[in-house]
Amino acid sequence: MDPTPARPKARSQAQLQSHHASHDREIESLAEFDSVLSAHGTLAHYRVQAVDLTARTDALMSADPTGAVFLGCPMAPEAATRVRAAGALVFPPIPGLPFDPYRGRVYSPAELYARLDGGYEATPDALAHDWFQQTKADGDVFASMLRAIHDDSVSDAIDELLTGARVVGVMGGHAMARGTRSYAGAARLGRELARAGFTVATGGGPGAMEAANLGAYAAPFDDGMLDDALLLLAEVASFTPSITDWARSAFEVRERWPGGGASVGIPTWFYGHEPPNAFAAHIAKYFANATREDGLLARSNAGVVFLPGAAGTVQEIFDNATPNYYESRGEPTPMVLVDRAHWTERLPAWPLLTSLAGGRTMESRIALVDRIEEAPGALKRLGG
């Protein structure tokens, strides 16, 4: 037997208030720190994430820190001693890391690609990947703990960012080259979704993922901007052999047309050969690929469009189908597969998906279309 578990109950108002209250007690910048003290005069039970407090010694010496937690906050030794003695937990900054495990915000392209002028190898993104490669198999519980803390902090940050957003995931392979019709189609899809009021979320890498994020970036501009940007990007068709040249061309687009639309990228250092694309304004990058995959799909609350891809995209189809099948996240969300020949002949995921969906609620929430241009309409029909 394969019993379907009962659908989880919606959060009660008290639970929702508790959830939002917990985020309201997070301090993630010096301005928030000052605002809390000004308004409430206490730090009791607040969580302070990665805020440099070395210039706030007087405040730390006088404010009530009972039950507070300081995560990676530089502070004067006497301030750290005092808040510990008064009932706070202090997790000190970790020296020598190319990333901050306690960070309170998701990444930006500028942050991950800082120092790109010296080549991709000098960027924080590349250095974090190098650290991961050196530590992922050494069995050091400290390194694995740091990765887990970092990924949990990123999850918390992306949840805060996406509160109330209607998110459509766009999945597809990294091999889709700039300058191709498929890439242009994926970019137009991202633009149309963004103009319809959705937040576009992708795996944050190259290929189809970059194209969808580019489309969302292009949404505020006239249609000619995207055509021109596609021509410029086509001069560096792929992130191989040079990630440096590939990333620089994306930043050239951003510099020529500043102030583009926002979207989300959720990549991973697990796939070291896939650098993050520079068109997602908000990048939630993870060490653990499983956490990243599940989180990306779970946050796509308005549906997912699956463009042609290989093993990773096939995995994402059925990672998304499983909670829709069991309704473990509530009502099934729309799933639109693009390119009939790809998903029925080359990689026949569609027949299996339809067999799985038969007789269940999710059966009315799946669609197969031939062309990318049909995806937004299909998503709308399915209730996205």
Side-chain angles (χ1 to χ4, degrees):
M1 294 181 63
D2 185 17
T4 301
R7 186 179 302 165
K9 294 180 181 179
R11 282 178 173 172
S12 68
Q13 188 62 34
Q15 287 173 317
L16 286 171
Q17 288 173 346
S18 175
H19 171 75
H20 291 303
S22 64
H23 282 294
D24 288 345
R25 300 194 73 82
E26 293 176 4
I27 297 173
E28 296 163 345
S29 70
L30 202 56
E32 288 180 355
F33 180 88
D34 293 339
S35 177
V36 164
L37 279 183
S38 175
H40 305 292
T42 180
L43 295 170
H45 304 290
Y46 278 89
R47 280 75 177 104
V48 191
Q49 284 180 260
V51 179
D52 188 342
L53 299 175
T54 52
R56 295 296 185 273
T57 300
D58 290 346
L60 293 170
M61 297 297 287
S62 59
D64 177 14
T66 304
V69 180
F70 295 86
L71 299 168
C73 298
M75 61 180 75
E78 62 271 25
T81 300
R82 188 264 165 177
V83 295
R84 283 194 186 98
L89 284 175
V90 178
F91 293 78
I94 311 298
L97 289 178
F99 62 94
D100 183 355
Y102 304 114
R103 61 180 302 114
R105 312 283 186 184
V106 294
Y107 293 96
S108 69
E111 183 179 3
L112 288 175
Y113 280 107
R115 301 186 295 279
L116 182 63
D117 288 346
Y120 173 71
E121 297 75 14
T123 65
D125 185 69
L127 295 175
H129 174 256
D130 290 346
W131 177 89
F132 179 46
Q133 291 300 307
Q134 294 164 15
T135 62
K136 67 179 181 179
D138 64 6
D140 183 357
V141 67
F142 182 57
S144 62
M145 181 192 74
L146 292 174
R147 293 194 295 270
I149 291 173
H150 169 274
D151 287 1
D152 192 63
S153 297
V154 168
S155 290
D156 182 72
I158 195 69
D159 282 341
E160 291 181 37
L161 178 73
L162 294 178
T163 298
R166 294 189 301 156
V167 182
V168 172
V170 179
M171 311 299 161
H174 69 265
M176 184 184 288
R178 294 168 173 177
T180 62
R181 289 181 61 187
S182 296
Y183 185 96
R188 287 192 291 272
L189 170 64
R191 183 178 64 184
E192 185 165 349
L193 291 172
R195 286 177 173 176
F198 294 108
T199 296
V200 174
T202 78
M209 298 170 278
E210 180 189 53
N213 288 128
L214 166 65
Y217 186 87
F221 300 98
D222 62 40
D223 291 354
M225 174 270 175
L226 181 57
D227 294 336
D228 291 342
L230 289 169
L231 287 174
L232 191 156
L233 292 170
E235 297 174 9
V236 185
S238 174
F239 63 98
T240 59
S242 173
I243 296 174
T244 302
D245 292 344
W246 174 82
R248 281 175 176 165
S249 65
F251 280 104
E252 184 177 347
V253 169
R254 292 180 61 99
E255 290 165 7
R256 187 173 298 187
W257 294 280
S263 64
V264 172
I266 306 183
T268 174
W269 281 294
F270 182 83
Y271 294 128
H273 63 286
E274 288 189 13
N277 77 72
F279 293 111
H282 310 291
I283 302 175
K285 192 154 191 179
Y286 288 85
F287 289 106
N289 186 50
T291 304
R292 166 254 192 175
E293 289 275 10
D294 184 69
L296 171 55
L297 294 168
R299 291 175 177 91
S300 297
N301 55 18
V304 183
V305 178
F306 297 92
L307 303 178
T313 310
V314 172
Q315 177 183 345
E316 288 162 347
I317 289 172
F318 292 101
D319 279 348
N320 196 51
T322 300
N324 281 347
Y325 179 91
Y326 288 113
E327 300 188 44
S328 55
R329 294 179 184 144
E331 289 287 341
T333 51
M335 299 176 64
V336 179
L337 277 62
V338 176
D339 192 328
R340 190 175 303 273
H342 185 86
W343 294 120
T344 61
E345 299 171 17
R346 287 189 285 276
L347 293 174
W350 177 251
L352 178 53
L353 184 61
T354 55
S355 297
L356 192 67
R360 307 184 79 88
T361 307
M362 70 177 287
E363 188 173 23
S364 64
R365 298 296 180 90
I366 62 173
L368 175 66
V369 299
D370 285 313
R371 298 178 299 110
I372 287 177
E373 291 77 11
E374 300 174 75
L379 191 68
K380 184 176 180 179
R381 289 195 305 274
L382 298 179

